[in-house]
Amino acid sequence: GAGVSQSPSNKVTEKGKDVELRCDPISGHTALYWYRQSLGQGLEFLIYFQGNSAPDKSGLPSDRFSAERTGGSVSTLTIQRTQQEDSAVYLCASSATNEQFFGPGTRLTVL
Amino acid sequence: AQSVTQPDIHITVSEGASLELRCNYSYGATPYLFWYVQSPGQGLQLLLKYFSGDTLVQGIKGFEAEFKRSQSSFNLRKPSVHWSDAAEYFCAVGKQAGTALIFGKGTTLSVSS
């Protein structure tokens, strides 16, 4: 079956612009996670959605970052007023039980 | 707070030789432990996981890992490395099933011929 998909695969933007990154989880998976992978920081948790519960936003680095999940499926991560330090690969994962399946990521470059 | 340490940033192993990648975690209770592999330009693939029970767990691609509570370790092993195993390996810990994972910084494995 289809895995987790993310779009776009690559995004280049200018400092100060807003960006939206999309994640399509595996059908039927109730949990969805966003992580960020950068050279200096490794893999960092950003935000976690589980069903209809309030999301765990404890990993978001600043109020410029937000995410929503519509209809319990697709999720969008929004970064406002991008900064150069936001350059990273943004990974999405989904799970039904205790195994997280990761998407290929979106490589964000902020010039 | 939970944390994961992978002491080796980069390891080079000859093809056919054995491999052990180290992982130490910090967590008060029995954690959920995972090893993932990431090939260049690819997403993360789960190699194996430990939740409870037998402390030696088998995974895909011939990998295994052993949970040692006394050492707070979950080292990954493979008896004979293949060139296709060259990749970056991440150890991760979760507080419970379905929660966000805390990842180590990763170990890059190079395989020499």
Side-chain angles (χ1 to χ4, degrees):
Chain A
V4 177
S5 61
Q6 293 185 244
S7 61
S9 55
N10 280 283
K11 176 72 176 179
V12 180
T13 190
E14 294 179 347
K15 177 181 173 181
K17 296 285 180 70
D18 297 352
V19 295
E20 286 189 350
L21 312 180
R22 177 188 169 104
C23 172
D24 283 90
I26 294 172
S27 178
H29 281 192
T30 57
L32 187 147
Y33 312 78
W34 284 98
Y35 295 87
R36 177 170 69 174
Q37 186 174 25
S38 56
L39 280 176
Q41 301 300 319
L43 270 155
E44 304 171 281
F45 161 70
L46 296 176
I47 188 169
Y48 159 51
F49 296 89
Q50 173 60 271
N52 295 322
S53 303
D56 176 357
K57 304 179 183 180
S58 60
L60 294 178
S62 78
D63 58 8
R64 296 186 295 107
F65 288 72
S66 63
E68 62 177 20
R69 188 177 185 193
T70 53
S73 180
V74 171
S75 177
T76 302
L77 177 69
T78 301
I79 309 173
Q80 297 179 308
R81 306 181 301 283
T82 52
Q83 304 293 313
Q84 287 184 330
E85 61 262 28
D86 299 334
S87 296
V89 176
Y90 290 82
L91 293 168
C92 175
S94 70
S95 72
T97 54
N98 49 41
E99 178 179 346
Q100 295 182 26
F101 294 83
F102 282 80
T106 294
R107 180 174 297 277
L108 175 65
T109 303
V110 182
L111 301 177
Chain B
Q2 295 169 278
S3 66
V4 178
T5 301
Q6 293 181 247
D8 305 305
I9 297 173
H10 190 190
I11 284 182
T12 299
V13 175
S14 299
E15 189 168 16
S18 64
L19 169 71
E20 182 169 30
L21 301 182
R22 297 183 290 165
C23 173
N24 292 94
Y25 67 89
S26 173
Y27 182 58
T30 300
Y32 289 74
L33 295 161
F34 306 81
W35 274 99
Y36 283 86
V37 61
Q38 186 177 38
S39 298
Q42 303 296 311
L44 290 161
Q45 181 182 22
L46 180 68
L47 287 175
L48 47 78
K49 59 191 177 188
Y50 172 78
F51 294 156
S52 64
D54 192 346
T55 56
L56 184 63
V57 293
Q58 302 297 320
I60 62 171
K61 304 184 180 186
F63 285 92
E64 66 178 27
E66 186 171 12
F67 170 60
K68 292 186 178 181
R69 183 190 303 275
S70 61
Q71 299 177 17
S72 297
S73 69
F74 188 57
N75 295 348
L76 182 71
R77 301 194 294 248
K78 185 169 185 178
S80 178
V81 168
H82 187 262
W83 64 266
S84 60
D85 293 324
E88 190 159 19
Y89 292 79
F90 293 92
C91 182
V93 61
K95 284 191 291 186
Q96 58 190 48
T99 59
L101 297 177
I102 306 297
F103 285 86
K105 297 289 189 189
T107 297
T108 300
L109 173 66
S110 297
V111 180
S112 61
S113 57

